[in-house]
Amino acid sequence: MIIKKAEYLKSSASYEQCPKPDRPEYAFIGRSNVGKSSLINMLCNNQKLAKTSAAPGKTQLINHFNIESAAKEKAPVTKWYLVDLPGYGFAKVSQSSRRRWEQMIENYLRKRENLTQVFVLIDVRHKPQQVDIDFVNQLDKWEVPFTLVFTKADKEKPLAIERNVNAFLDVLRQTWQFLPQHFISSASNKAGREEILNFIQEKNATFLSE
C-alpha cells in the first residue's frame, strides 16, 4: 500500500460528532505511553501527523485522520479514516474524567457503524498486563473486530519479544478458542509497517465490495 495523503480531519467528544460514516475506519488504542502516536505517524509516513507526548493521557478526544491510499503507484485511490483514540489504564486525570473517557470510547467502539478494525497496541517489553487482557476480553464480549499490535520491538531482543508475545497469547488461550491476529512493530525502524498496511488494504477491499 502507498499512502497518498494523510491529514488531520477533526476531534470529537462523542461518536455522534464523528465524520459521516461513509468509508472504512480503523481505530488505534492502547495503554497510555504505548507508542500509539509514533506508530500512526510511522504507518502514514508523516512524523507530524499525530501529536506525540511524554506525558501519558494526552489524547482526550476521538481524533480522525483522512487517509488516501493506493495498492500501487497508478492504482485507484481508496479513502479511509484512521482514528487515534484516548489511551486506557494509567493517566494522571481525575476519576470523573476517566469515566467520561471510558464511556466515550465504549460508545464509539460499540456504535460506530463503519468501524472496520480496532488495533490494540501492546508494549512488547512487558509481561502480560491485566489491563490489556481485560480490554481485549471486553472487545470480544462486545463483538468488536480487533487485531493486536505489539509495539517498541526495537527496544527488545528477538528472544524476549517472542517470549512476551507468547506469554500474552497463552493467557488468551486459557479462555479463547481462536486467537486474534497480531503484528510486531517498531516506529523507529518501521518493522511491521508493510504487513499492517497490507492488512488494512485487504479490509478496505472487503468493505468496499459489500
Side-chain angles (χ1 to χ4, degrees):
M1 177 192 281
I2 300 170
I3 301 295
K4 297 280 191 176
K5 181 190 285 187
E7 59 186 4
Y8 168 77
L9 185 61
K10 69 173 295 191
S11 297
S12 309
S14 69
Y15 86 95
E16 293 99 335
Q17 297 174 8
C18 290
K20 186 178 178 181
D22 59 356
R23 63 195 67 176
E25 185 159 303
Y26 302 86
F28 288 73
I29 192 169
R31 274 186 302 131
S32 297
N33 232 12
V34 75
K36 180 162 50 73
S37 297
S38 296
L39 178 72
I40 289 171
N41 291 343
M42 179 268 280
L43 291 174
C44 296
N45 216 17
N46 183 344
Q47 296 309 306
K48 297 181 179 179
L49 190 65
K51 294 178 181 177
T52 58
S53 171
K58 204 68 177 173
T59 305
Q60 300 183 18
L61 298 169
I62 302 167
N63 298 305
H64 272 77
F65 297 88
N66 181 47
I67 313 294
E68 295 183 12
S69 65
K72 51 189 178 182
E73 196 55 53
K74 295 185 178 180
V77 169
T78 300
K79 296 181 179 181
W80 46 282
Y81 289 131
L82 186 154
V83 179
D84 184 4
L85 290 173
Y88 55 82
F90 171 79
K92 292 181 180 178
V93 295
S94 66
Q95 280 295 105
S96 60
S97 293
R98 188 173 299 180
R99 280 195 296 272
R100 188 175 71 248
W101 286 1
E102 289 172 351
Q103 192 61 57
M104 175 183 72
I105 294 168
E106 178 179 342
N107 285 335
Y108 167 81
L109 292 172
R110 300 182 74 176
K111 298 178 181 180
R112 183 67 169 161
E113 56 196 88
N114 63 322
L115 180 59
T116 307
Q117 197 80 12
V118 176
F119 290 97
V120 181
L121 278 54
I122 311 290
D123 191 330
V124 80
R125 298 174 299 174
H126 305 305
K127 294 177 180 178
Q129 305 289 303
Q130 193 60 48
V131 66
D132 292 323
I133 299 294
D134 290 344
F135 186 76
V136 297
N137 281 331
Q138 191 64 67
L139 287 177
D140 183 56
K141 182 180 178 182
W142 292 337
E143 299 183 348
V144 174
F146 74 92
T147 299
L148 301 174
V149 179
F150 292 92
T151 63
K152 305 189 179 184
D154 59 293
K155 300 183 185 300
E156 277 291 0
K157 294 180 179 178
L159 282 176
I161 291 171
E162 184 179 5
R163 182 174 64 247
N164 289 339
V165 169
N166 286 337
F168 192 93
L169 297 177
D170 283 343
V171 174
L172 297 186
R173 281 190 183 95
Q174 295 172 19
T175 54
W176 290 52
Q177 184 176 3
F178 303 106
L179 293 176
Q181 186 164 351
H182 72 272
F183 298 100
I184 296 171
S185 74
S186 164
S188 296
N189 61 26
K190 297 192 175 184
R193 182 177 189 269
E194 188 174 344
E195 292 85 352
I196 294 170
L197 290 179
N198 286 342
F199 177 77
I200 290 174
Q201 185 172 297
E202 291 171 8
K203 293 293 179 183
N204 281 344
T206 302
F207 182 97
L208 296 170
S209 67
E210 290 177 349

